[in-house]
Amino acid sequence: MAKILIIDDERSIRNTLREILEYEDYEVEDVDNGVDGLQLIEKKDYDLVLCDIKMNRMDGMEVLTEGLAIKPDLPFIMISGHGTVETAVEASKKGAFDFISKPPDLNRLLITVRNALDRGSLVVEAKVLKRKVSKVRPILGESQAIIKIKETIDRVAPTDARVLVTGANGSGKELVARWLHEKSNRSSAPIIEVNCAAIPSELIESELFGHEKGSFTSAIKQRIGKFESANGGTLFLDEIGDMSQSAQAKVLRALQENKITRVGGEKEIDVDVRVVAATNKDLLKEIEAGNFRMDLYHRLSVILIHVPPLIERKDDISLLTQSFLDEICNEYGMPVKKISDAALEALKSLPWTGNIRELRNMVERLIILSDKVITDNDVRAFANPSAPVAVTAAGSAAPAPQTDFDQFNNFQEYKDFAEREYIKFKLEKNNWNVSKTADDIDIQRSHLYSKIEKFGLKRGE
């Protein structure tokens, strides 16, 4: 039931409005002055305010201005017995939803009230959805390494210093980059991500800097690059160690001069971008091997943040596991499963070559395949994701026989087999939703289509 506040110094108007609105099942409160009205707005949650303009103790326009300062999304409908076009325009400029003349027309009043309430609901829903979409997952952990990373982020984020984040795949480099943006003065602008390893070398320059129409065969129209898209915000260059030499040279120039030139273009474009880069490679070794420019490395690594592998912070596994249990069970709409202390110890004993990403996948597997309480036996049974699950006569899940490695003549044959089984498993898990599967396994959708065709995968095999 919507709550409505009426602010009017005429008792007859207040009584009339209250009678009409309560008949429509609205919850109504009323006061005879703006000062008391503002106090109520500050203390209580109203869905709508009906406010007179001409009042003794405080003018309605003042109430509107101060009320919106307290509750910016609260709809105000202004009422006046001396309504003019100028008054209505002024009320709208100050943020009023609508303006109604006295005595109010019953039908118009109710329609305006419904519209204002609908608009208020939409504003709140939009803000909730926006928070859900843009919400950055917290960096979980109480180990010294994670505490140091959080402290570094707090110090570095408000500056425009470039940051190089290093660490193994799945360790959380992207999360660090997102928090650097979230806590920066650029957080209201976008963070644009580029996975340098997923883009063919011949397309990386067009992806970063954009291109002009006709600059190459498939350039049928002008395209804005990631540098321009991130203008005023943050550009996250993931897996920068895989960037081509020619692209490295252009990125270096963009960082030095804060200017870019689109592929096939001549005009220099000013860009204001904070660059955060990440890599799982040892860039100093890549420099020695001639694969990475030393001058670009020094430009990017004003601040270095190393994210340790999960194996080096085993004490964080319990906290991470519980967080994943809550998150995944909520996603599946099921009660949160419990996990035994022995199971947590069993998790800590695993090698975790895939780091946080592997742990989350493991927790999801345990939620699906285990009973109400996850035990250490479950962890041992389902620790090997490549081993398919068989069902025993008693109906419980048990690990199937291990893969017969003798069937493969060479390493490439085994790699193709493992890749095929992994992609097939993920596709079936996502009900053959190719777009979602591509996101899950962190490859481009076009690459996934190529893999499906290569391995001859078909739905319902």
Side-chain angles (χ1 to χ4, degrees), residues 41-194:
I41 289 170
E42 194 164 7
K43 291 177 183 176
K44 299 185 179 182
D45 290 323
Y46 294 102
D47 299 294
L48 175 65
V49 176
L50 294 170
C51 184
D52 188 17
I53 290 181
K54 298 294 182 183
M55 293 186 292
N56 292 326
R57 291 182 62 186
M58 180 181 279
D59 183 79
M61 291 297 186
E62 292 179 64
V63 177
L64 171 64
T65 303
E66 294 191 27
L68 289 177
I70 298 168
K71 300 277 178 70
D73 299 325
L74 181 61
F76 271 76
I77 296 175
M78 307 306 290
I79 308 170
S80 176
H82 311 282
T84 63
V85 174
E86 289 78 10
T87 307
V89 169
E90 184 186 355
S92 297
K93 284 182 177 179
K94 289 181 178 292
F97 177 79
D98 208 342
F99 176 89
I100 293 177
S101 298
K102 290 182 183 178
D105 175 79
L106 174 59
N107 289 327
R108 190 189 167 198
L109 171 68
L110 292 177
I111 290 170
T112 305
V113 166
R114 289 192 197 104
N115 289 342
L117 291 171
D118 288 344
R119 181 254 191 187
S121 298
L122 288 171
V123 168
V124 172
E125 287 176 18
K127 288 199 169 187
V128 169
L129 288 171
K130 189 174 180 181
R131 279 198 298 269
K132 284 183 178 179
V133 170
S134 63
K135 187 178 179 183
V136 182
R137 185 192 301 273
I139 298 176
L140 297 175
E142 297 172 351
S143 60
Q144 281 301 116
I146 294 303
I147 290 171
K148 184 178 178 182
I149 287 172
K150 290 178 181 178
E151 289 174 351
T152 304
I153 290 172
D154 289 339
R155 283 175 173 265
V156 174
T159 73
D160 272 344
R162 299 183 195 104
V163 182
L164 178 62
V165 187
T166 61
N169 284 334
S171 58
K173 299 188 296 295
E174 180 184 347
L175 189 57
V176 171
R178 291 195 175 277
W179 273 112
L180 284 166
H181 174 74
E182 192 72 14
K183 293 194 171 188
S184 74
N185 299 326
R186 300 171 176 263
S187 58
S188 58
I191 175 171
I192 303 295
E193 180 181 348
V194 181

Side-chain angles (χ1 to χ4, degrees), residues 5 38 40 49 52 92 97 99 101 109 115 144 172 184 209 232-233 282 309 317 319 349 359 405 416 428 430 442 459:
L5 174 65
L38 287 173
L40 286 173
V49 176
D52 188 17
S92 297
F97 177 79
F99 176 89
S101 298
L109 171 68
N115 289 342
Q144 281 301 116
S184 74
F209 308 110
D282 185 336
I317 288 176
L319 185 62
S349 68
L359 175 60
F405 295 108
D416 288 344
E428 288 174 350
N430 291 319
D442 200 21
R459 190 169 191 161

Side-chain angles (χ1 to χ4, degrees), residues 394-413:
S396 60
Q402 294 288 322
T403 303
D404 178 13
F405 295 108
D406 289 333
Q407 65 179 299
F408 306 111
N409 295 319
N410 54 54
F411 183 52
Q412 187 59 47
E413 279 189 17

